[in-house]
Structures are given as structure tokens and as C-alpha cells.
Amino acid sequence: MKKLITQFLILFAFTILAPPIIFEANWSKFSSTFAQTKDQCTDQLNKAEEEYQAGKWTEAIQLIEGCLKKENVGELEKGRAYRILGLVYIAIQLEKEANDAVKNLLIMVPNYKVDPIKDPPSLQKIIDNMALTLNPSITKITPNIVEQGDKGFKMTISGSNYVYGSVVKINGVAKSTNYVSATELTADIPSSDLLKTGEFDVVINSPILGGKTSNAEKFSVQKASSFPWTWIAIGGGAVVAVVVAVLTLGGKDDTSESKLADPPTRP
């Protein structure tokens, strides 16, 4: 009996303690993997900068591209990668590639400050020119019409020149905004914004050069449609009318119709 109780207590303890132990082991594994990926990218970028300084352009580009292909790379590290890439392309005088790299740098780090010791003046020049062209623009918002009293939803804004830190504003009020890409943002629209009907201006505010504002697109909140109830009322009335007509016609006295003459009697 004592042995049975001991086995039961061991089994009970394992049941209670095992899930936290397994969870902790899995979390540790995930954290280790994430840190490893981040460290590997940091190491690659350090090496890429060394290769750039040594004039080994091809090796530097390969290291940077390898870093950018990794998952879990944050915007700051991506910004650093594009900065080094821009420096490499400036050094080998590839203007288009340098401009593309600097554009991506500003998307990740909109107000990047040039290091006067490490960065050449040519990088500042490209940044200044590129910043002037990064004007946010809206081409489409989805949805652009909702009904009064609807639940909150996620609005998708499509356009161009979106950067990290861009904010969607509706009638001047900032909304919780998520950067998806340079051509797409999403914004959380709460149900409290849908209590009043009307047309509202949607704009994008970009942090580039201290703040740039896009063109405005209209977002409408309309009165809830009464179409289903109107149809039911009209349809119901029609059904009632038909039923009344049928009952009226079917209920007429048959005596109003002419009867057949009685057969003649025999003389």
C-alpha cells in the first residue's frame, strides 16, 4: 500500500511540474534561436563593414544580402545593412543602386543621422535628395464606406513612400498604425469612430524631414441601410394582398352563377 501511494505521489508531481518544465525548455530554445539569428546578422554586418573598409565590395554585398534574407531582423539592423550597402555602391560608383539602398535605409530609419567620422559627405547628399522625394501618397483605402454603428475594424491604406513611423490620421486624429510595406499600411479603427455619420479625411503623416503629409482620401460612415426591412414590409404587404384577393374571389356565393335548367317532365 505504501509503495502504491509513493508511486501515485511521483506521478502527481510529474503531472504538475512537467508542463512548466517543457514550456520553459521550449521557450529557452526559441529565445536561443532568436538571439542566435540576431547575433549572426550582427556579426555579418560587422564583417561586411570590415570588408567595405578593406575595399572588398563583392564580399561585403554578399554578407549584407545574406543578413537581409534572415528572419527576425529588426528595422534598425535592416537600416544598418542598407547603410553599409549604400556606402559600398557609392564607393564603386553605382548611382542607381546607391539611391535604392539609401531609400531603403530611410524607410527603416526615416531620420537617419549621418556619422561625420564614418560616413562620407556623398552619403549625406544622397540622403538629402532622397528624403525630398519620399512624399507619402494614398491611392486607395479599404473599406472606404461603412455603416453607422458597425464594429471596429482594420483599415488598409495603399499608396507609396510609406516608412516606419508613418501614422494614419482621420480628421486629424492619429490611429494605431502598422507598417506593412513601403506601399501599404494598416490602421485600427475603433467602433467609437463609427457612431456619427459623415465624410472624413484620411491622411498619412510621415516622419521624413520632420513630418510630411499625404493627399487626403474620403472615408464615409453612412446610416444603417433599411433595405431588408423595407423589402420585408413591401413583400409582406404584397403577400397579404394576394391572400385577401384569393379569399375574396374564392368566397363568392355560387348561387350567382346560372343554373342548368331542370330536365323536361314527361306529358
Side-chain angles (χ1 to χ4, degrees), residues 2 14 32 36 39 49 93 108 116 124 166 186 213 225 234:
K2 186 176 180 182
F14 179 78
S32 175
Q36 204 172 39
D39 290 342
E49 195 147 17
Q93 299 182 355
M108 297 298 127
Q124 182 66 68
S166 294
T186 61
T213 302
S225 173
I234 295 174

Side-chain angles (χ1 to χ4, degrees), residues 147-179:
E147 290 190 347
Q148 183 182 20
D150 275 357
K151 294 181 180 179
F153 65 95
K154 192 175 290 292
M155 176 187 286
T156 299
I157 301 91
S158 303
S160 59
N161 294 331
Y162 300 152
V163 303
Y164 270 88
S166 294
V167 176
V168 175
K169 291 186 175 182
I170 298 182
N171 269 21
V173 180
K175 302 302 171 186
S176 176
T177 306
N178 180 53
Y179 173 88

Side-chain angles (χ1 to χ4, degrees), residues 18-232:
I21 292 172
I22 292 171
F23 174 79
E24 185 176 350
N26 287 338
W27 176 254
S28 298
K29 184 178 179 181
F30 172 79
S31 300
S32 175
T33 302
F34 180 82
Q36 204 172 39
T37 302
K38 187 175 180 181
D39 290 342
Q40 285 176 357
C41 193
T42 301
D43 291 342
Q44 279 183 261
L45 292 179
N46 289 339
K47 182 64 176 175
E49 195 147 17
E50 290 176 7
E51 300 288 31
Y52 157 70
Q53 295 290 350
K56 298 179 179 179
W57 319 130
T58 302
E59 291 84 347
I61 292 172
Q62 288 174 347
L63 287 166
I64 294 166
E65 290 178 344
C67 172
L68 291 172
K69 289 178 182 178
K70 290 181 180 293
E71 296 181 0
N72 303 320
V73 179
E75 61 268 23
L76 291 178
E77 283 209 303
K78 285 183 179 178
R80 185 188 174 199
Y82 285 119
R83 167 191 164 272
I84 302 170
L85 193 60
L87 293 174
V88 171
Y89 286 133
I90 289 172
I92 55 181
Q93 299 182 355
L94 291 176
E95 185 178 350
K96 180 182 181 303
E97 288 78 359
N99 283 328
D100 289 342
V102 169
K103 180 179 180 178
N104 285 319
L105 165 61
L106 292 177
I107 287 173
M108 297 298 127
V109 190
N111 292 307
Y112 176 78
K113 301 298 181 183
V114 171
D115 186 332
I117 298 175
K118 293 184 178 181
D119 298 332
S122 52
L123 177 62
Q124 182 66 68
K125 184 178 179 180
I126 296 176
I127 287 175
D128 291 341
N129 292 336
M130 185 57 64
L132 292 173
T133 69
L134 290 178
N135 300 311
S137 175
I138 301 176
T139 56
K140 181 181 179 183
I141 57 176
T142 308
N144 62 347
I145 300 175
V146 297
E147 290 190 347
Q148 183 182 20
D150 275 357
K151 294 181 180 179
F153 65 95
K154 192 175 290 292
M155 176 187 286
T156 299
I157 301 91
S158 303
S160 59
N161 294 331
Y162 300 152
V163 303
Y164 270 88
S166 294
V167 176
V168 175
K169 291 186 175 182
I170 298 182
N171 269 21
V173 180
K175 302 302 171 186
S176 176
T177 306
N178 180 53
Y179 173 88
V180 179
S181 70
T183 59
E184 184 176 313
L185 301 172
T186 61
D188 294 325
I189 310 301
S191 57
S192 58
D193 283 3
L194 311 178
L195 298 178
K196 294 182 180 180
T197 60
E199 278 194 336
F200 308 95
D201 285 336
V202 179
V203 299
I204 305 299
N205 183 257
S206 169
I208 291 282
L209 291 180
K212 290 187 174 187
T213 302
S214 72
N215 59 301
E217 286 291 321
K218 295 295 183 182
F219 168 67
S220 299
V221 179
Q222 298 183 345
K223 286 186 177 181
S225 173
S226 60
F227 171 75
W229 304 110
T230 303
W231 183 87
I232 290 171

